[in-house]
């Protein structure tokens, strides 16, 4: 499969980080959706087929703690990467609640590392990347 076969939603309220995600992942050929608050995440998931959600923990309107019970109920197979500056002990808490996430990454995270992890999760051959 190729990058263009996948849609990634980036949920991040920092517009500078959003732009970095958008620029880098569009360049690789992914379909990119952006959300800067929880309501946009929920609307985007209802309106589009999303293959992977990359989300910050803290967002206006609905943080990730509010979002995950909804994801668990309505999108149980959606892989999620959490990128946050608030990493300590959250992985264990999320696991104990049965939330489906693939990876926690601590900010700041390099775009190269994020790209690599996304390719692993989506099973994209690096030779297929633009």
């Amino acid at each position: 499969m190729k990058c263009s076969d996948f849609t990634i939603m980036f949920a991040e309220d920092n517009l500078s980080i959003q732009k970095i995600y958008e620029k880098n992942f569009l360049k690789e050929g992914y379909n990119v959706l952006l959300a800067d608050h929880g309501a946009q995440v929920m609307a985007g998931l209802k309106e589009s087929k999303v293959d992977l959600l990359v989300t910050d923990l803290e967002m206006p309107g609905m943080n990730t703690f509010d979002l995950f019970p909804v994801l668990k109920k309505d999108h149980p197979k959606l892989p999620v990467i959490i990128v946050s500056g608030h990493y300590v002990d959250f992985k264990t808490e999320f696991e104990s609640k049965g939330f489906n996430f693939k990876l926690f990454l601590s900010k700041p995270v390099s775009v190269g590392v994020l790209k690599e992890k996304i390719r692993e999760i989506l099973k994209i051959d690096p030779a297929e990347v633009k």
Side-chain angles (χ1 to χ4, degrees):
M1 300 198 68
K2 306 176 295 203
C3 297
S4 60
D5 295 328
F6 296 100
T7 298
I8 303 172
M9 177 182 286
F10 293 96
E12 171 63 59
D13 60 335
N14 182 318
L15 296 181
S16 297
I17 294 173
Q18 263 193 14
K19 295 286 184 204
I20 291 168
Y21 288 155
E22 183 178 40
K23 176 183 173 189
N24 282 278
F25 288 90
L26 284 175
K27 187 176 180 181
E28 286 208 358
Y30 293 100
N31 301 300
V32 173
L33 299 174
L34 301 172
D36 63 8
H37 56 80
Q40 281 184 331
V41 173
M42 297 314 301
L45 290 173
K46 285 181 183 174
E47 296 168 8
S48 304
K49 179 189 171 289
V50 175
D51 300 294
L52 176 70
L53 173 62
V54 178
T55 185
D56 189 7
L57 268 180
E58 298 291 329
M59 288 185 300
M62 176 186 281
N63 67 30
T64 306
F65 292 104
D66 300 327
L67 180 63
F68 263 86
V70 176
L71 292 175
K72 183 178 177 179
K73 178 179 169 269
D74 297 341
H75 306 278
K77 295 184 189 237
L78 177 67
V80 179
I81 296 175
I82 300 168
V83 181
S84 179
H86 307 284
Y87 182 88
V88 180
D89 296 326
F90 287 128
K91 181 177 179 182
T92 304
E93 184 175 339
F94 274 56
E95 287 170 341
S96 72
K97 292 180 179 178
F99 295 154
N100 181 26
F101 65 93
K102 294 293 184 187
L103 186 63
F104 265 91
L105 294 172
S106 188
K107 285 183 179 178
V109 63
S110 107
V111 172
V113 167
L114 187 57
K115 285 180 181 181
E116 179 184 321
K117 297 301 182 184
I118 287 173
R119 285 192 296 266
E120 287 174 15
I121 290 168
L122 297 177
K123 297 177 176 51
I124 296 172
D125 182 343
E128 296 293 331
V129 178
K130 287 185 177 181

